[in-house]
Amino acid sequence: MKFVCIDDGVPPETFAVLGAACAKRGVVFERVEAAGFDYLPERQLEPGDMLYCPAVSERAGAVERFLYTPGVADLRRDRLGPFAAVGGTPLIFSRHGLPTPRQCPAGLAAIALLERLVEELGGFPVVVKAPGGSGGIGVMRADSMPALASMVEFLLAKGVLPMLSSFVADAVCWRVVVVGERAVYACRNPVPSGDFRSGQADRPEDYVAAIPAQLAELAVAAVRLLRLEFGGVDILEHASGRLYLLEANFPCYFAPADQIGGADIAGAMLDHLIEKRLRLAAQV
């Protein structure tokens, strides 16, 4: 059995936990560098191989699509594998009835329009998000109309369509990791002093395996809706207990849960892929 991972600036701890999980299960672990990849025909994978791309660059995606062939086990539900488009969050969630903060795109910087949108969102503050960032980059908070108008005007001038959403105060931000049909681990991401965005949890007590049922069900539903079998789902839990789905990330950075929280997400991923490769082989 062979498990292939594609690297293009991925944190080394991701490969450390995945490699250890492979060694424990007698699986050959192969790390492929996207930079300078040769695209020779013999590099294409065989049915029964397993594939995961933790890198998010376009060239890493190109390598993943080249390596993939039907019968390769990856972490998508769609039979097209990496050729299937996945995206559309967060609007896709609200369109399918999953609870999200109120949200809408801002296609114009006109004050009259922005005033209407803010009213629809419940008033200031509002969250302004530019797509494509990670780790909180591109997520901003506007507390007044002058701040909002200037942010929207700037982003539109850069060719970026900003998404506005209501601000959920007094909430805990959870990252729930889903493998297959199961939420396997979660962490409470703390909010640093002076910020409104949560950051990576670095204390063992922030990681939990006993995930509240509603939290787990919402995370699994989000990953399933995107036709995925793995994902890191960000959910706000309001002080009232109400849950708000923010996004489902694929790929996602999960190594701290294994290294700090004592989880075995890498092992759960490998076990899922091993079972899937057997299922795919039985369908031939």
Side-chain angles (χ1 to χ4, degrees):
M1 289 186 293
K2 180 169 71 172
F3 178 53
V4 176
C5 278
I6 301 167
D7 189 12
D8 196 11
V10 176
E13 52 266 34
T14 294
F15 296 109
V17 296
L18 287 171
C22 285
K24 185 176 180 180
R25 290 159 177 79
V27 174
V28 175
F29 180 69
E30 182 178 331
R31 178 172 165 179
V32 174
E33 293 284 349
F37 185 74
D38 52 31
Y39 292 96
L40 292 173
E42 58 265 28
R43 300 293 294 273
Q44 294 178 3
L45 301 184
E46 299 289 338
D49 290 336
M50 298 174 287
L51 176 64
Y52 175 56
C53 180
V56 297
S57 67
E58 177 53 38
R59 66 180 175 185
V63 172
E64 182 185 23
R65 291 186 291 273
F66 181 84
L67 292 176
Y68 179 83
T69 55
V72 168
D74 72 347
L75 292 162
R76 297 175 175 87
R77 296 176 186 273
D78 200 301
R79 65 184 180 85
L80 294 176
F83 292 97
V86 176
T89 56
L91 282 178
I92 190 173
F93 296 133
S94 60
R95 293 293 189 268
H96 287 80
L98 298 182
T100 66
R102 284 173 286 179
Q103 57 201 308
C104 56
L108 294 170
I111 299 298
L113 173 63
L114 294 178
E115 287 176 341
R116 171 67 186 277
L117 296 181
V118 170
E119 181 181 355
E120 292 288 332
L121 296 175
F124 287 109
V126 297
V127 176
V128 182
K129 183 171 183 180
S134 61
I137 301 298
V139 179
M140 298 162 281
R141 171 175 158 169
D143 293 289
S144 66
M145 184 54 65
L148 176 61
S150 60
M151 289 180 193
V152 171
E153 183 179 35
F154 174 78
L155 292 172
L156 291 175
K158 294 294 184 180
V160 174
L161 178 65
M163 177 68 70
L164 310 185
S165 70
S166 56
F167 178 74
V168 181
D170 302 320
V172 174
C173 185
W174 290 90
R175 163 62 65 92
V176 184
V177 179
V178 173
V179 179
E181 287 288 322
R182 185 168 63 96
V184 297
Y185 229 75
C187 66
R188 305 178 192 88
N189 286 332
V191 176
S193 177
D195 203 343
F196 73 98
R197 302 165 299 175
S198 61
Q200 179 67 55
D202 57 6
R203 303 181 306 171
E205 57 266 32
D206 288 327
Y207 294 85
V208 297
I211 307 170
Q214 287 186 317
L215 195 68
E217 290 168 5
L218 181 55
V220 171
V223 171
R224 185 191 302 124
L225 180 61
L226 296 180
R227 307 192 308 278
L228 297 171
E229 296 171 346
F230 173 67
V233 185
D234 294 332
I235 300 173
L236 292 178
E237 182 183 19
H238 188 257
S240 66
R242 184 168 183 177
L243 301 178
Y244 297 90
L245 175 58
L246 298 179
E247 60 184 1
N249 299 277
F250 177 84
C252 74
Y253 181 54
F254 65 88
D258 282 18
Q259 296 181 325
I260 300 173
D264 187 17
I265 294 170
M269 293 169 64
L270 261 294
D271 291 340
H272 178 81
L273 286 170
I274 290 169
E275 186 278 331
K276 184 174 182 178
R277 68 183 291 275
L278 295 175
R279 177 161 36 87
L280 291 174
Q283 295 173 0
V284 176

